[in-house]
Amino acid sequence: MSQSKRQLHLNLFIMNAGHHEAAWRHQGTEPQHITDIEYFARLAKTAEAAKFDSLFLADGLAINNNIKHGAFVGLEPFTLLSALASVTKRIGLIGTVSTTYNEPFHVARKFASLDHISKGRAGWNIVTSGSAVEANNFNKDSHLEHGKRYERANEFLQVTTGLWDSWEDDALVIDRESGTFADHHKVRSINHVGDSFKVRGPLNIPRSPQGYPVLVQAGSSEDGKEFAAQYAEAIFTAQQTLEDAQLFYSDVKARLAKYGRSPEQLLILPGICPIIGRTESEAKEKEQELNELTVIDYGLTQLSNMLNVDLFTYPLDGKLPELPRLEEINGNKSRFQLVVDLATREDLTIRQLLHRLAGGRGHRTFAGTAVQIADQLEEWFVNGGSDGFNVMPPYLPAGLEEFAEQVIPELQRRGLFRTEYDGHTLREHFGLKRPVNPYSAASTSGAAGAAVAANS
């Protein structure tokens, strides 16, 4: 595809009342509706009307001790996305599921189901879980070590993709006359035996419209980047500067070749929390208003968890204390490093850092007019910083409506974003090929097909 025809990919990251940690206190939000399907249906329909590629739901498997001041809780992704599939037609539906606290067969079956229900719009945001408190909800006293979590995730992907491939595309026969429902030669056990999993298979649902859900990953540590290079088809990342984004972009894209992949097979989508005003000063006032609604205790709890240091004993208007070394962090290593770099680069006090992180928890926050925001997105896109963006409205529903009504038309005017959907599946929106079933490919190559059949 020529540079002139290259267009942005935009994913909407839905977070309850909005991404700013004080969004639920803002008069324009609806925190009382965060378990109301009609609320999420309205957001999904707004995003689809604006032609977003996809919408995305984050998920965690525990709540921290800051529930008194925080609204980051909500519905389970599979249940919610299945409901949203019935009220939308084109927009992709991406859900977060952990490889650390799930089993591959369950996950493979649920995503195949979602892909069937949505007619090919499912995506899986693969996480290894970054919070130690999640372990306590799954019969464990401590969180699995960072590297071990990625080893488990690697095997988890081997099993889930194997299960999705356990049915060939044309395995269903449904011949009433002969009484043949499925060609049993095209439905195979995977007989996986590994360090973490023993799974016979096959999956008990036929291969889905996309073959696999689109595989998304959000880790930016060394382990995370290597995992993304091997498996991911889109990556959500937090980057604060264009220079950092360019380094990340070139680093991850360069890793693909060792796995026989090309750069266009992985989309890199940095997060952006846009605060939109009719003028720049109005946007800055909106940002200040949100920051003034923050609860210091909540922000300190969040930041203490990110940095693995209890910050409550340090002065708010002082600098960060001595911090652990990166190798001592067993949670989100990349976010730890981003926060440390941000505080150092901008010489921030703890209070200033709390405000800088309030909008996107480390993702970039930018306050300006629709034109200024479009300028920022275009600059990163055309200068090797991204293939698109993970859009994180600071408050909902108004933040999404403002982006859809003001920023997207500006991007369309510049020829940077679609005016209509060209395809129906998430893979088509992202420009990704449908995975080839290796058994189907082998069955068309004579002796290779016989060997596969003999070993099945």
Side-chain angles (χ1 to χ4, degrees):
M1 184 175 288
S2 68
Q3 185 69 20
S4 62
K5 293 183 179 179
R6 181 172 175 254
Q7 292 191 327
L8 286 161
H9 296 284
L10 295 179
N11 173 76
L12 171 66
F13 184 174
I14 294 177
M15 179 69 80
N16 290 345
H19 281 272
H20 197 284
E21 66 184 45
W24 69 273
R25 300 186 68 197
H26 193 277
Q27 289 299 315
T29 61
E30 304 175 17
Q32 69 275 22
H33 291 151
I34 63 173
T35 55
D36 184 347
I37 183 57
E38 293 182 1
Y39 168 73
F40 288 99
R42 180 158 38 113
L43 297 176
K45 289 176 180 179
T46 299
E48 186 169 63
K51 314 305 177 191
F52 274 85
D53 293 67
S54 50
L55 62 83
F56 159 56
L57 300 176
D59 192 42
L61 299 172
I63 59 172
N64 293 319
N65 59 2
N66 53 15
I67 187 62
K68 178 180 178 180
H69 304 298
F72 294 123
V73 295
L75 297 171
E76 186 278 323
F78 279 118
T79 310
L80 178 52
L81 291 175
S82 295
L84 295 181
S86 68
V87 297
T88 57
K89 297 292 185 183
R90 296 289 191 90
I91 194 166
L93 305 167
I94 303 173
T96 297
V97 176
S98 171
T99 58
T100 303
Y101 301 114
N102 281 288
E103 288 290 322
F105 192 93
H106 285 140
V107 172
R109 187 186 188 200
K110 290 176 181 178
F111 269 115
S113 298
L114 179 60
D115 208 43
H116 279 290
I117 290 168
S118 65
K119 301 187 187 303
R121 295 184 283 137
W124 174 17
N125 179 43
I126 305 159
V127 299
T128 63
S129 293
S131 168
V133 296
E134 292 174 286
N136 302 143
N137 288 336
F138 292 88
N139 202 36
K140 298 181 185 300
D141 294 325
S142 61
H143 202 25
L144 196 63
E145 187 271 327
H146 188 274
K148 294 294 184 183
R149 296 202 303 273
Y150 273 100
E151 289 177 11
R152 177 184 168 96
N154 191 298
E155 187 179 344
F156 200 109
L157 263 290
Q158 294 175 33
V159 178
T160 51
T161 54
L163 288 168
W164 289 320
D165 284 334
S166 66
W167 285 70
E168 293 188 36
D169 289 315
D170 59 350
L172 278 183
V173 177
I174 312 181
D175 186 337
R176 293 183 175 89
E177 191 68 28
S178 69
T180 302
F181 177 74
D183 183 344
H184 65 288
H185 296 294
K186 296 184 177 183
V187 183
R188 297 172 171 84
S189 300
I190 66 170
N191 296 316
H192 175 91
V193 179
D195 292 334
S196 297
F197 305 107
K198 183 178 181 180
V199 181
R200 179 181 180 273
L203 201 60
N204 56 349
I205 183 172
R207 203 162 194 253
S208 71
Q210 292 187 113
Y212 306 168
V214 171
L215 301 178
V216 183
Q217 200 263 351
S220 298
S221 65
E222 281 301 305
D223 288 331
K225 287 186 287 189
E226 202 63 27
F227 184 82
Q230 185 171 1
Y231 294 108
E233 296 169 295
I235 183 167
F236 299 148
T237 179
Q239 304 294 332
Q240 283 288 326
T241 69
L242 175 56
E243 181 181 10
D244 287 344
Q246 289 168 327
L247 290 172
F248 180 85
Y249 188 96
S250 60
D251 179 6
V252 175
K253 295 274 187 175
R255 298 176 188 233
L256 294 167
K258 75 175 73 172
Y259 300 107
R261 305 180 66 199
S262 56
E264 65 273 10
Q265 290 179 282
L266 173 62
L267 303 178
I268 296 179
L269 309 175
I272 178 72
C273 180
I275 302 175
I276 307 165
R278 288 168 295 183
T279 64
E280 182 178 352
S281 61
E282 181 183 90
K284 298 293 186 185
E285 288 171 6
K286 285 185 176 183
E287 182 177 33
Q288 182 177 350
E289 179 186 2
L290 283 165
N291 285 341
E292 288 175 352
L293 291 173
T294 59
V295 178
I296 292 297
D297 281 0
Y298 179 86
L300 280 174
T301 299
Q302 296 290 94
L303 187 56
S304 296
N305 289 338
M306 285 185 192
L307 300 179
N308 200 28
V309 168
D310 182 357
L311 296 173
F312 281 85
T313 59
Y314 295 93
L316 283 173
D317 294 312
K319 301 300 172 61
L320 287 173
E322 184 177 350
L323 299 174
R325 298 189 305 275
L326 181 62
E327 57 268 25
E328 296 173 330
I329 299 298
N330 194 32
N332 191 326
K333 289 180 179 287
S334 58
R335 195 60 52 89
F336 170 88
Q337 192 62 56
L338 181 148
V339 171
V340 172
D341 291 345
L342 173 62
T344 302
R345 182 174 60 248
E346 299 187 14
D347 195 28
L348 300 176
T349 64
I350 292 175
R351 188 191 305 275
Q352 291 169 331
L353 184 57
L354 292 178
H355 285 168
R356 291 285 279 110
L357 297 173
R361 303 171 306 284
H363 290 276
R364 187 163 184 252
T365 300
F366 183 83
T369 66
V371 169
Q372 289 174 323
I373 290 168
D375 287 343
Q376 292 285 311
L377 302 186
E378 182 174 11
E379 181 182 19
W380 283 41
F381 180 62
V382 301
N383 288 294
S386 78
D387 295 305
F389 294 89
N390 196 20
V391 180
M392 305 166 58
Y395 43 81
L396 290 168
L400 168 59
E401 294 165 351
E402 291 163 355
F403 192 90
E405 294 168 5
Q406 299 178 49
V407 179
I408 283 185
E410 179 63 24
L411 295 172
Q412 291 169 332
R413 185 185 67 78
R414 302 180 189 195
L416 291 171
F417 191 63
R418 67 170 66 86
T419 55
E420 291 294 340
Y421 289 110
D422 294 325
H424 289 81
T425 70
L426 179 53
R427 289 190 171 279
E428 289 171 333
H429 301 340
F430 278 175
L432 299 169
K433 292 181 179 179
R434 188 175 186 274
V436 174
N437 188 316
Y439 297 113
S440 299
S443 68
T444 62
S445 59
V452 170
N455 292 322
S456 64

